[in-house]
Amino acid sequence: MLSNFGITVSIISLLLTTSILYLSYYDLKSSGNNVSKKIYKFAFFQIVFTFLGFITLIVAYVISDFSLINVYENSHTTKPLFYKISGTWGNHEGSLLLWINILVLFSFLFLILNKNKNKNFKLYTLIFQNLLISAFLIFLLTNSNPFSLLYPIPTEGMGLNPILQDPALAIHPPLLYIGFVGSSIYFSIALAALISKVDSKSLALTIKPWVSVSWTFQTLGILVGSIWAYYELGWGGFWFWDPVENSSLMPWFLMTALLHSVLVLERRIGLYSWVIILSILTFTMSVVGTFLVRSGILNSVHTFANDPSRGLFILSFLALMVFSSIFIFFKYAPDDNKNYKIFSKESFILANNWFMIFFLAVVLIGTLYPVFLDTLTGQKISVGPPYYNFILAPFLLPLLFLMTLGPKHKWISSDMIGIFNIALFISVILFIIIFLSIKDSSILMLLILLFSTYLITQTIFDFYEKFKNKNINLSRIISHFGFGMLIFSISLNQIYSVEKSFNARIGDEKNFQNYTIKFNNLETFSKNNFKSVKGYFEIIDNKNTTSQNLTPEIRVYNQPEIITYEASINTRFFSDTYLTMSNISNSDIFNIKFQKKPFMNFIWFSVLLISIGGILQFLRFEKKI
Amino acid sequence: MKILSLTIVLFFSSVISYCDENKTYEILKNLRCLVCQGQTISDSNSDFALTIKEVVNEKVEEGFSKKEIYHFLSDKYGDWILFNTPLKKNSYILWFVPYVLFILGGALLYLVIRKRTEKTK
Amino acid sequence: MRKKYLVIIYSISIFVFFVLYLSLGKNKVYTTQDNIGKKIAEVQLNYFDIDGEFNTKEISNFKFTLLNFWASWCGPCRKEHKYLVELSKNSNLKIVGVNFKDEKKNALKFLNEMGNPFSILTKDPEGKKSVNFGIYGIPETILINNELKILKKYVGPINSKDVKEIEKIINK
């Protein structure tokens, strides 16, 4: 029943999408100054039917309708309601439906929120966006249908991988998709602007809010993903430079570049073509990421179930998209010809773009190089965190420095502003204090600490100054402050992390550095969907004689049958204590891994600050419009 | 005198063992667990990872250098096991292209800025 | 000028897409096939039920040797065992077993039930020695000639096709 309904609704959405394409195309030639009322009506029905399809799938999950293969493969009757719902987008087919919903949502919002724009510009945008929508709907219906039937109907589902049953991971995909699928709208806008020859200012004003919205969500999505990895995977890390993580970071770099260069475009009519290239690249990178994640050509921690036909479809779509946008760009791009002066703010913003594109290139090369090497020569190599750290870390220094100085420059031109000021003086003093309290560390790490301290203090000074003048660009200040804090806390986290793994039996006691770890007890119990072995540990900090109790678990889930290692984490303001245990086969010995993770709260909070900057910028734009 | 030499020995031995441990962790963090999906040996609880952990531990205790241990493992399991990609013929592009791109980007940026400054003059 | 850029960018994109297309068809399972052609490591393996050690150098005394890593707790090992028994009848081949992370009692029961194809049986109760042969999961089987060179490496259970391949090599 639900299967037929879902398929019907999706087909109707596809028909509506093609109708919008047809109507928009004909409306281009009509004489009126406004987009035809009909298109608004069709767009309204398009969003209603697309949402209906998504809700149908959610209902199928909630009532555990196993006549749908997708529900059977990813759900189970005993699963809590919350995870039944989030299970809807926890798999390839369901998440594709979410993709399409976001494409349609952005298409609809664009149509109704830009009442006063040039008609043809709007129509072209609508055409490009609906081309994307129809491609993905065809993909959904022909290759990855979440409503496919299963017969005979099983009485029970296969369940959702327990490590995916986590509140952070439930909201992670929607956030991330609003981020990078949302970038589709400025992809469409950019191409439409080229064809309909829209001027810089209105292009900038049109894409700005969408860029800041998608950037904010992308940032939050990445944050929530990291939080999930930290709490759920049980490895004590929050970023592994894994190909799938990289896929979410690559569009982020481009969005960040765009977020900055749009400011120039708006004020100074420069960079028209560059902003268009960035807009096209952002969505292209999002699709590249999707291809990498879902085609199975990469070896990653976070994999979807793979199927080469999917990869082929996304790849063909990607090729079509890339070739046609390059063609459109070369056919329509105007020549930029505007005035600049060195040391003006543009130069700094261009420098931001230089770094962002460089970071993107490094991550892209690191992710794709092993694939290319394997395909072309058959040699298999791995590229991991050491590569990214080695290449990227030194470039943080100039980046932090530019972030400190850049915003202090005026728009049109300004002379070199004195680098030696009170903020630098204070940060050097702060840095010396930090330096004296750190035992041993690399010079690079120390320099990164110094430069991030400088960025932090300088932004605080900026805030104070601007506050006096009642002219505050809070979004920039908060985001840059957050970024400085982020680099600062990650560096301290790297320097002060403690890790110790050892084997122990019940009753054992382990001493090292300032800690004593007592393995007090072991308990087994079973719950409705898993059996668990729980260890009771007491960790004594001999320095200040405090103790804390931690209880890591080994869980054996039955639906599906999977062993998970549940970390026990005690979060304090400055530092987390992280304990995991695993059994050693054929023995009563356990492998215990103890970690001290300082400044974790600061890391999460800094990223939150960065994204708050995005929200504020969005609000600022809205006020202006 | 005896006490002094004893404390010196103790001090150094503790330093050495501390360093040993860091060395082991560093090595384990740079190894890929072959039977897992993209996980490091250090992070993995799989049987294979536990064995490799013990082998690395032993090798470190026997005084093998980091390089020797990486070499030993990549000889047995291929370069696939090394997350810190060794600089070899097949990875020159990987290691050098980023720097080339950075310089090219900088040059391009410089040209654009200079061109535009000249125009205003 | 524009045309030149267009051609360059199109060519690069076509190359990238072509490589990505090829990569789709590739088998993603990693195996240690690179070891083929290398010499087998010199390792001392303890005999399974008698004192003393077997040195892998001794493999050079045999025309061909099949080094098989197995355990009673491993399901696929059960599946491949009949093929090992079949191969053990061939006089050109010696089968050396390495009992991997196993308990003696269970291993003996396994051999009583399924037959014993091993001319020489050794053990690696901690699995550490197997690292020298690039073993990362069992069963794994390595075919070695009398120059101690690795001719074939099978990761996972061998099947009838593999048996034919091995027989073809050793009967030459």
Side-chain angles (χ1 to χ4, degrees):
Chain A
M1 225 288 282
L2 281 176
S3 159
N4 290 334
F5 186 71
I7 292 173
T8 316
V9 165
S10 306
I11 292 174
I12 294 175
S13 314
L14 182 59
L15 290 174
L16 287 165
T17 310
T18 42
S19 315
I20 292 175
L21 282 171
Y22 176 82
L23 287 172
S24 311
Y25 184 69
Y26 275 90
D27 204 27
L28 283 172
K29 292 165 188 162
S30 76
S31 55
N33 277 328
N34 288 313
V35 174
S36 141
K37 284 259 153 32
K38 244 193 208 162
I39 294 178
Y40 282 93
K41 268 186 208 152
F42 272 84
F44 175 72
F45 283 116
Q46 183 194 30
I47 195 167
V48 168
F49 277 95
T50 320
F51 271 148
L52 215 54
F54 192 47
I55 287 165
T56 311
L57 191 61
I58 293 179
V59 170
Y61 268 88
V62 170
I63 65 169
S64 296
D65 183 349
F66 297 126
S67 66
L68 274 67
I69 300 178
N70 191 257
V71 180
Y72 161 72
E73 283 178 344
N74 300 295
S75 197
H76 192 269
T77 48
T78 57
K79 218 164 61 166
L81 180 67
F82 181 69
Y83 295 121
K84 278 183 184 164
I85 296 173
S86 72
T88 314
W89 53 77
N91 57 82
H92 166 70
E93 289 84 0
S95 65
L96 191 67
L97 193 59
L98 179 62
W99 248 89
I100 293 168
N101 271 271
I102 291 166
L103 284 173
V104 172
L105 175 71
F106 274 66
S107 170
F108 183 71
L109 288 176
F110 172 80
L111 187 66
I112 60 166
L113 292 176
N114 288 288
K115 285 247 152 74
N116 306 321
K117 294 270 153 55
N118 175 319
K119 185 187 111 190
N120 280 7
F121 176 37
K122 275 174 78 174
L123 286 172
Y124 276 119
T125 307
L126 216 54
I127 288 175
F128 285 116
Q129 187 74 5
N130 279 284
L131 281 173
L132 300 177
I133 296 170
S134 49
F136 278 97
L137 272 171
I138 291 168
F139 182 31
L140 182 95
L141 284 166
T142 55
N143 176 288
S144 309
N145 196 332
F147 302 109
S148 293
L149 272 178
L150 181 63
Y151 194 84
I153 301 168
T155 50
E156 192 50 275
M158 281 158 59
L160 179 70
N161 187 339
I163 64 165
L164 302 181
Q165 297 185 26
D166 179 272
L169 205 69
I171 58 163
H172 168 67
L175 289 174
L176 210 56
Y177 289 2
I178 294 176
F180 69 75
V181 182
S183 73
S184 64
I185 195 71
Y186 41 93
F187 169 82
S188 303
I189 293 174
L191 290 178
L194 277 176
I195 295 181
S196 52
K197 303 202 164 39
V198 166
D199 67 80
S200 313
K201 183 127 190 167
S202 49
L203 172 66
L205 287 175
T206 316
I207 66 171
K208 256 168 70 171
W210 305 105
V211 176
S212 44
V213 165
S214 61
W215 182 83
T216 306
F217 277 96
Q218 186 80 4
T219 314
L220 286 173
I222 293 173
L223 170 67
V224 171
S226 297
I227 291 179
W228 168 77
Y230 178 72
Y231 283 95
E232 198 64 32
L233 290 179
W235 310 341
F238 53 92
W239 191 265
F240 304 96
W241 293 108
D242 175 89
V244 171
E245 295 169 345
N246 293 349
S247 301
S248 68
L249 197 59
M250 288 188 284
W252 188 87
F253 288 135
L254 287 163
M255 287 177 193
T256 310
L258 201 51
L259 197 66
H260 288 82
S261 46
V262 152
L263 295 172
V264 181
L265 185 64
E266 179 201 21
R267 277 167 219 248
R268 300 260 300 132
I269 328 181
L271 303 180
Y272 187 77
S273 301
W274 178 238
V275 164
I276 289 196
I277 292 176
L278 281 179
S279 306
I280 294 172
L281 266 182
T282 309
F283 186 61
T284 305
M285 267 311 146
S286 307
V287 181
V288 169
T290 310
F291 168 75
L292 294 177
V293 175
R294 299 186 189 208
S295 64
I297 64 168
L298 295 169
N299 198 306
S300 148
V301 184
H302 326 257
T303 33
F304 278 87
N306 298 313
D307 170 359
S309 70
R310 257 176 227 169
L312 193 61
F313 186 96
I314 305 178
L315 193 66
S316 326
F317 169 74
L318 187 64
L320 202 67
M321 196 177 100
V322 167
F323 288 125
S324 33
S325 31
I326 294 174
F327 176 76
I328 293 173
F329 179 80
F330 274 92
K331 186 148 191 277
Y332 293 98
D335 293 311
D336 274 347
N337 192 8
K338 283 303 153 202
N339 300 329
Y340 281 86
K341 196 163 185 253
I342 208 155
F343 284 131
S344 67
K345 206 164 187 159
E346 281 98 334
S347 312
F348 280 99
I349 285 180
L350 284 174
N352 155 290
N353 282 210
W354 175 32
F355 277 87
M356 287 304 138
I357 299 294
F358 170 69
F359 289 161
L360 166 75
V362 173
V363 176
L364 190 65
I365 291 171
T367 311
L368 284 184
Y369 188 77
V371 177
F372 274 57
L373 188 71
D374 182 20
T375 311
L376 295 174
T377 69
Q379 302 173 37
K380 284 183 189 277
I381 60 162
S382 295
V383 176
Y387 171 78
Y388 298 101
N389 294 339
F390 183 85
I391 302 240
L392 294 179
F395 289 93
L396 282 174
L397 297 177
L399 179 72
L400 287 165
F401 189 64
L402 289 170
M403 284 175 78
T404 316
L405 287 191
K408 293 180 69 61
H409 286 262
K410 302 231 162 48
W411 276 103
I412 295 167
S413 78
S414 57
D415 299 323
M416 250 319 229
I417 288 173
I419 297 173
F420 299 98
N421 57 14
I422 187 140
L424 181 63
F425 180 70
I426 292 179
S427 39
V428 168
I429 290 184
L430 277 176
F431 169 73
I432 290 170
I433 296 170
I434 296 167
F435 175 73
L436 291 176
S437 58
I438 292 173
K439 285 159 289 171
D440 49 354
S441 182
S442 71
I443 293 170
L444 177 65
M445 201 66 121
L446 290 172
L447 283 174
I448 289 176
L449 274 176
L450 171 66
F451 278 82
S452 51
T453 317
Y454 184 32
L455 174 61
I456 293 169
T457 41
Q458 182 62 57
T459 0
I460 294 172
F461 269 87
D462 285 0
F463 176 71
Y464 174 71
E465 240 169 67
K466 295 263 170 74
F467 192 70
K468 272 198 309 199
N469 304 336
K470 297 248 178 338
N471 163 28
I472 319 178
N473 175 358
L474 258 187
S475 58
R476 188 275 292 177
I477 287 179
I478 290 187
S479 284
H480 281 203
F481 178 78
F483 187 78
M485 282 287 291
L486 177 68
I487 301 297
F488 185 76
S489 350
I490 290 178
S491 311
L492 286 185
N493 177 274
Q494 291 280 312
I495 295 170
Y496 283 113
S497 278
V498 175
E499 186 174 333
K500 174 86 190 168
S501 92
F502 56 94
N503 293 343
R505 286 191 176 83
I506 305 179
D508 282 359
E509 204 177 297
K510 181 90 187 172
N511 288 296
F512 70 98
Q513 292 182 23
N514 300 314
Y515 303 100
T516 305
I517 300 171
K518 287 182 181 167
F519 188 174
N520 287 333
N521 198 5
L522 202 65
E523 213 175 64
T524 54
F525 60 92
S526 66
K527 281 226 164 123
N528 119 33
N529 55 342
F530 64 86
K531 283 188 194 131
S532 168
V533 183
K534 196 176 195 173
Y536 290 85
F537 292 83
E538 192 182 357
I539 289 152
I540 302 158
D541 188 338
N542 298 326
K543 228 194 270 168
N544 43 21
T545 59
T546 54
S547 86
Q548 41 190 325
N549 294 306
L550 289 173
T551 53
E553 279 179 55
I554 303 169
R555 287 186 185 167
V556 183
Y557 281 84
N558 47 21
Q559 279 303 328
E561 201 170 293
I562 275 173
I563 298 177
T564 66
Y565 304 91
E566 303 288 321
S568 175
I569 305 164
N570 189 355
T571 303
R572 298 259 167 100
F573 188 72
F574 280 113
S575 180
D576 286 9
T577 311
Y578 200 105
L579 200 68
T580 45
M581 67 175 194
S582 58
N583 53 318
I584 288 171
S585 47
N586 304 325
S587 71
D588 58 345
I589 304 171
F590 287 84
N591 183 266
I592 315 294
K593 195 163 157 191
F594 166 84
Q595 294 179 80
K596 204 75 185 160
K597 292 269 151 195
F599 295 95
M600 290 311 296
N601 287 327
F602 287 70
I603 292 173
W604 309 139
F605 184 65
S606 327
V607 182
L608 197 63
L609 279 181
I610 295 175
S611 60
I612 287 172
I615 298 171
L616 289 175
Q617 194 182 25
F618 173 72
L619 294 175
R620 217 155 51 90
F621 292 159
E622 286 304 285
K623 236 197 283 173
K624 266 193 219 158
I625 294 165
Chain B
M1 197 56 207
K2 249 186 192 171
I3 291 168
L4 185 72
S5 65
L6 193 70
T7 44
I8 289 173
V9 168
L10 273 178
F11 177 77
F12 277 104
S13 68
S14 77
V15 166
I16 288 161
S17 73
Y18 174 73
C19 287
D20 263 11
E21 212 161 80
N22 278 2
K23 189 166 135 191
T24 313
Y25 282 130
E26 201 192 319
I27 294 171
L28 294 178
K29 283 227 178 302
N30 289 340
L31 297 176
R32 180 194 282 270
C33 168
L34 298 180
V35 297
C36 325
Q37 290 278 354
Q39 224 170 325
T40 68
I41 291 283
S42 161
D43 293 333
S44 172
N45 292 319
S46 70
D47 227 39
F48 172 71
L50 291 177
T51 311
I52 296 292
K53 279 178 195 173
E54 278 180 41
V55 169
V56 170
N57 242 327
E58 269 175 21
K59 296 245 169 209
V60 169
E61 271 166 28
E62 282 166 27
F64 283 88
S65 74
K66 264 193 274 183
K67 226 180 172 175
E68 285 167 326
I69 295 172
Y70 288 137
H71 185 79
F72 169 76
L73 288 168
S74 76
D75 184 47
K76 300 304 170 197
Y77 293 102
D79 283 345
W80 181 245
I81 201 170
L82 302 178
F83 264 131
N84 54 344
T85 330
L87 183 64
K88 278 186 184 175
K89 249 190 210 144
N90 67 10
S91 62
Y92 283 159
I93 294 179
L94 177 76
W95 283 102
F96 295 125
V97 165
Y99 296 108
V100 174
L101 287 178
F102 185 78
I103 293 164
L104 281 180
L108 191 74
L109 183 66
Y110 174 75
L111 284 179
V112 167
I113 292 174
R114 209 186 56 172
K115 211 169 101 192
R116 309 241 150 137
T117 337
E118 273 167 8
K119 270 179 193 159
T120 46
K121 271 173 193 165
Chain C
M1 196 59 188
R2 266 198 188 188
K3 268 229 171 99
K4 211 169 82 189
Y5 283 128
L6 185 70
V7 169
I8 294 171
I9 292 176
Y10 265 140
S11 330
I12 295 172
S13 323
I14 288 171
F15 170 72
V16 169
F17 280 115
F18 182 65
V19 174
L20 287 177
Y21 170 73
L22 289 180
S23 74
L24 276 178
K26 276 225 149 191
N27 182 13
K28 305 299 167 333
V29 181
Y30 180 71
T31 55
T32 41
Q33 297 300 336
D34 288 351
N35 285 348
I36 293 173
K38 284 187 191 164
K39 272 203 165 177
I40 196 89
E42 189 187 330
V43 181
Q44 306 266 8
L45 292 161
N46 291 70
Y47 286 117
F48 181 70
D49 46 7
I50 45 174
D51 287 339
E53 285 171 338
F54 172 78
N55 190 320
T56 49
K57 247 172 41 188
E58 293 169 40
I59 285 175
S60 62
N61 298 333
F62 319 129
K63 206 167 166 199
F64 288 100
T65 307
L66 203 61
L67 195 58
N68 176 261
F69 296 80
W70 66 283
S72 62
W73 46 262
C74 129
C77 300
R78 259 168 218 280
K79 253 169 66 188
E80 73 164 6
H81 206 75
K82 62 174 181 208
Y83 297 113
L84 291 174
V85 174
E86 193 185 323
L87 280 168
S88 68
K89 287 166 194 152
N90 194 312
S91 56
N92 284 343
L93 186 72
K94 289 260 180 209
I95 302 186
V96 178
V98 181
N99 185 238
F100 182 86
K101 288 192 184 176
D102 208 352
E103 273 175 43
K104 198 170 174 179
K105 195 178 67 194
N106 299 342
L108 282 172
K109 206 176 140 212
F110 180 96
L111 291 180
N112 280 335
E113 269 173 39
M114 317 272 301
N116 185 351
F118 304 113
S119 324
I120 297 161
L121 186 53
T122 64
K123 63 181 172 185
D124 184 14
E126 289 177 308
K128 282 189 240 173
K129 287 189 173 160
S130 301
V131 169
N132 291 295
F133 305 100
I135 303 300
Y136 61 94
I138 55 167
E140 283 195 43
T141 309
I142 306 172
L143 182 65
I144 309 157
N145 68 8
N146 56 2
E147 289 162 356
L148 297 174
K149 211 170 96 181
I150 298 173
L151 302 176
K152 281 279 162 198
K153 187 159 189 205
Y154 301 95
V155 176
I158 56 169
N159 51 36
S160 54
K161 217 180 93 205
D162 299 330
V163 169
K164 279 198 191 110
E165 195 180 47
I166 294 170
E167 278 174 342
K168 213 174 143 193
I169 295 172
I170 59 178
N171 290 335
K172 255 185 199 165

